[in-house]
Amino acid sequence: MSEATVPRLSSSLPARLVRLYGGLALYGTGIGLQVESGLGNDPWDVFHQGLALRTGLSIGTVIIGIGALVLLLWIPLKQKPGLGTLSNVVFLGLFADGAIFLLPTPSHLVLQSLYVALGVVAIALATVLYIGAGMGPGPRDGIMTGLMRLGLSVRLGRFLIEITVLAAGWLLGGTVGVGTLVFALAIGPLTQLFTRWFPLT
């Protein structure tokens, strides 16, 4: 697809808000799909699920709480949150809980695998949408940006953080499985693909 044929979304405030909140809703749906699949979550949601199991709170409530705590780490990193950052903290967990409540739990491997595939695609597209709204990254994404400003490569920083939360979540009882591996292998290429259709700038 040539640059001339790439659709560019309007930069008006209403369009950016639709992109932001639509992206967060889609991201929450992706989380719900992976959790309900039972085949394994992405690293952060392994951690969120593990904490939810230990505390008796919903996964969405844990997502909100951890998001708020991670946001505190922005202070020493001299990161400034935007509307998108704060909206991520508040709404992502609500959308995730809503999706988990509404989605039926599949009992057949084919349907479980479909949930994983749809969940990863949804999260990749959602990431492009809400970041592309230009209203600030999510709290966890902002940590990557802050580490980069301190001289640590984004790839290394992301690896260290995600392997830590994955291990902690697994020890707490979060689900690690083939879905976790699929997410790790597919999320980067899919996100890159969606940026061709929904440019970040």
Side-chain angles (χ1 to χ4, degrees):
M1 182 181 293
S2 68
E3 184 68 21
T5 61
V6 173
R8 292 191 179 275
L9 300 186
S10 171
S11 60
S12 67
L13 180 59
R16 292 170 66 198
L17 290 173
V18 168
R19 185 163 175 165
L20 169 63
Y21 292 107
L24 291 176
L26 187 60
Y27 203 118
T29 301
I31 291 173
L33 284 164
Q34 279 209 281
V35 169
E36 286 299 304
S37 77
L39 295 180
N41 309 317
D42 72 87
W44 274 104
D45 291 318
V46 171
F47 182 56
H48 296 146
Q49 185 183 42
L51 281 178
L53 290 171
R54 295 293 181 175
T55 61
L57 300 172
S58 70
I59 291 178
T61 300
V62 172
I63 290 173
I64 293 171
I66 294 298
L69 290 174
V70 170
L71 197 57
L72 294 177
L73 297 176
W74 283 36
I75 297 174
L77 294 174
K78 298 181 180 180
Q79 292 283 94
K80 294 182 180 180
L83 175 63
T85 309
L86 300 177
S87 296
N88 184 295
V89 171
V90 175
F91 289 103
L92 184 58
L94 297 178
F95 286 130
D97 269 353
I100 291 169
F101 176 76
L102 293 173
L103 288 168
T105 302
S107 56
H108 194 282
L109 181 59
V110 172
L111 289 177
Q112 290 175 296
S113 300
L114 180 61
Y115 267 40
V116 169
L118 290 175
V120 175
V121 169
I123 290 173
L125 177 56
T127 300
V128 172
L129 288 175
Y130 86 78
I131 291 180
M135 293 186 168
R140 298 156 188 82
D141 299 316
I143 293 295
M144 301 301 107
T145 307
L147 290 175
M148 183 175 64
R149 290 174 59 188
L150 293 178
L152 186 66
S153 74
V154 173
R155 182 176 299 178
L156 178 58
R158 190 180 190 94
F159 173 77
L160 292 175
I161 290 174
E162 293 197 352
I163 198 68
T164 299
V165 295
L166 176 63
W170 177 70
L171 291 172
L172 290 169
T175 305
V176 178
V178 66
T180 310
L181 180 61
V182 170
F183 182 92
L185 295 175
I187 193 65
L190 282 173
T191 302
Q192 183 65 36
L193 174 64
F194 286 130
T195 60
R196 296 176 59 187
W197 299 321
F198 301 97
L200 297 179
T201 58

